[in-house]
Amino acid sequence: AGLVGGTFRVLARFRHSGISAPDDALSVAGPLLEEMDLPPDVLTQPSATLSGGEMTRVALVRVILLRRPLILLDEPGAALDRERSRSAAAILRRELPESTVLIVGHDDRWDIPEIRSVEVGRRPTRSSSSYTACLPSLSRSRPFTVSGEAGK
């Protein structure tokens, strides 16, 4: 297994990251990792030794450093307690003010007042292999259809 620091060095390959050299990534990541409540030596640890919550916070810092305009997060707070979830969300908002962040979750760990939430419900259609996702707060009369097998 590679070291956590190595996962940051590769960010220099992505032009949107603003990181010009591999070692620059480590100096930029350090303060963010510390703010995410990770130990100072996390960059020298093997990735395989991190807990689920530590892996999540390291991944969120990588997401921040990539500086993408659209970010998709699936259950970002699942391995974090409420306080760390809120802190991570605040850091993400502060560091990526121009990015659109789409968060999928089954609880309210990232339900933060400044973030617009839309509840998506499922309503069966005539075909058992598809479902309609309804966005009641956007439009009651025009739900959109997502094709695919339900439950996948």
Side-chain angles (χ1 to χ4, degrees):
L3 300 179
V4 172
T7 68
F8 285 96
R9 285 187 176 96
V10 300
L11 297 179
R13 297 179 189 166
F14 297 91
R15 64 182 170 94
H16 293 287
S17 71
I19 296 169
S20 56
D23 288 337
D24 291 346
L26 300 179
S27 62
V28 174
L32 289 169
L33 292 165
E34 185 178 326
E35 197 174 356
M36 289 276 191
D37 196 28
L38 288 161
D41 66 342
V42 72
L43 290 169
T44 61
Q45 293 179 16
S47 297
T49 65
L50 300 181
S51 70
E54 289 169 331
M55 284 190 275
T56 297
R57 289 177 281 157
V58 165
L60 289 171
V61 171
R62 282 195 305 264
V63 165
I64 289 169
L65 295 183
L66 281 172
R67 306 249 178 246
R68 303 303 300 171
L70 175 63
I71 298 164
L72 308 174
L73 300 175
D74 183 13
E75 298 281 353
L80 303 176
D81 60 35
R82 186 168 302 281
E83 183 180 324
R84 284 188 173 138
S85 287
R86 292 196 182 278
S87 174
I91 294 165
L92 202 69
R93 278 195 321 274
R94 183 192 73 223
E95 295 294 324
L96 300 172
E98 300 299 317
S99 295
T100 298
V101 180
L102 178 61
I103 299 169
V104 177
H106 295 92
D107 59 30
D108 65 351
R109 289 181 184 270
W110 280 51
D111 187 14
I112 297 165
E114 296 84 21
I115 295 176
R116 180 171 176 232
S117 297
V118 178
E119 288 189 35
V120 178
R122 289 186 186 180
R123 184 173 60 205
T125 63
R126 291 183 185 162
S127 168
S128 61
S129 64
S130 66
Y131 58 87
T132 301
C134 303
L135 300 175
S137 64
L138 298 179
S139 170
R140 287 192 195 129
S141 61
R142 291 197 220 170
F144 65 92
T145 301
V146 179
S147 298
E149 293 183 32
K152 279 196 170 185

